[in-house]
Amino acid sequence: MKVLVAIKRVVDANVKIRVKPDNSDVDLANVKMAINPFCEIAVEEAIRLKERGVASEVLVVSVGDDRCQEQLRTALALGADRALHVKTDSVVEPLGVAKVLNAIVKKEECQLVVLGKQSIDNDNNQTGQMLAAIGNMPQGTFASEVECEGSEVVVTREVDGGLQKIALQLPAVITTDLRLNEPRFASLPNIMKAKRKPLEVTSPEELSVDVTPRLTTVKVVSPAEREAGIIVSSVAELVEKLKTEAGVL
């Protein structure tokens, strides 16, 4: 079966985020970018499915400007077979990405779509669910284990009461959780080989998809800095401060 993996270009998880002076957005000037960590897990899982002989081809897709190709090449170096860059210079919201992926699933006849459960920049946790709804496909979210059995894929997902196993009929959508796997590192030979792997470029217009933003960012501000705590001498003093200063009692 053919597996489609969606990846997103985000600020590296180890970088301290800065807000622009005019509070219009996050300052990305001279900031290291990387594949979203949850998307790395999705790529790793798709490659493992191919190594087990379950998947015949792994196609990675990213939506954004030309800079996304750097992350696509990284995914190719990790072991993906092909890359598809859906080029657009506008801000694409989760609904727009879901529509784009649905068009690609139909065009490429993909049987399984694997995505990270959320991106670390916006933390929306929406694209996978929207894709499943638009494409009328079953979904297994927050997957901590994936097993393919014939025309089904069995997903173990973490819920409040423990673990839940669900069987999905293909084609299906899976979103990955942190404990699904440990992503590999790209070796230098594979990085060199990735330069020769096919990277196609298309656009939302060519896919007949409208990705016009429906939301407007009003203001971006840094979170309030945490104030230093104080030490109280008794329970009575603690209760008094919770009443008078914190206002929680």
Side-chain angles (χ1 to χ4, degrees):
M1 66 178 178
K2 185 183 293 187
V3 180
L4 184 150
V5 183
I7 64 174
K8 186 176 184 182
R9 183 176 188 267
V10 299
V11 177
D12 188 276
N14 298 312
V15 173
K16 182 175 175 60
I17 300 298
R18 302 188 307 269
V19 176
K20 290 182 178 179
D22 60 358
N23 296 111
S24 62
D25 205 344
V26 173
D27 187 1
L28 298 180
N30 301 316
V31 172
K32 182 183 179 183
M33 308 295 284
I35 299 177
N36 177 53
F38 290 103
C39 297
E40 283 186 311
I41 294 172
V43 172
E44 174 66 25
E45 190 62 25
I47 295 170
R48 292 188 183 189
L49 288 174
K50 185 182 177 183
E51 290 173 344
R52 296 204 299 265
V54 175
S56 58
E57 184 180 37
V58 176
L59 170 65
V60 288
V61 177
S62 189
V63 183
D65 58 26
D66 288 330
R67 294 172 294 181
C68 289
Q69 294 192 12
E70 178 185 351
Q71 280 65 48
L72 286 170
R73 289 293 181 192
T74 300
L76 290 173
L78 291 171
D81 299 298
R82 292 168 50 215
L84 178 60
H85 175 208
V86 183
K87 183 179 177 179
T88 176
D89 293 325
S90 63
V91 176
V92 184
E93 295 164 357
L95 179 59
V97 175
K99 289 179 178 179
V100 167
L101 294 177
N102 185 54
I104 296 172
V105 167
K106 292 179 179 179
K107 181 180 178 181
E108 295 283 343
E109 298 181 349
C110 301
Q111 287 75 48
L112 183 63
V113 184
V114 188
L115 311 88
K117 69 173 184 178
Q118 64 195 76
S119 59
I120 62 172
D121 50 4
N122 294 327
D123 273 338
N124 285 323
N125 182 21
Q126 295 174 341
T127 305
Q129 292 88 331
M130 288 178 171
L131 172 59
I134 294 171
N136 194 28
M137 293 182 283
Q139 59 179 312
T141 56
F142 312 110
S144 60
E145 186 178 347
V146 175
E147 292 292 336
C148 291
E149 300 176 358
S151 62
E152 289 185 342
V153 56
V154 179
V155 175
T156 303
R157 56 193 307 269
E158 298 181 0
V159 295
D160 290 341
L163 298 176
Q164 178 189 49
K165 279 194 173 185
I166 56 175
L168 311 174
Q169 286 288 335
L170 298 174
V173 177
I174 295 175
T175 68
T176 62
D177 208 345
L178 277 175
R179 282 160 288 281
L180 179 58
N181 60 52
E182 184 71 29
R184 69 191 68 187
F185 291 98
S187 64
L188 182 57
N190 286 338
I191 292 173
M192 301 304 293
K193 291 177 183 177
K195 296 180 180 180
R196 297 191 296 271
K197 288 186 178 181
L199 195 160
E200 305 166 43
V201 179
T202 185
S203 66
E205 292 74 24
E206 291 179 6
L207 296 170
S208 302
V209 175
D210 178 17
V211 294
T212 304
R214 290 167 169 77
L215 303 175
T216 302
T217 300
V218 177
K219 191 177 183 181
V220 178
V221 296
S222 299
E225 293 186 7
R226 185 174 179 178
E227 297 181 359
I230 60 173
I231 298 176
V232 296
S233 58
S234 65
V235 174
E237 183 183 357
L238 172 62
V239 172
E240 180 64 23
K241 288 187 177 294
L242 289 175
K243 285 182 178 179
T244 59
E245 297 181 15
V248 296
L249 293 180

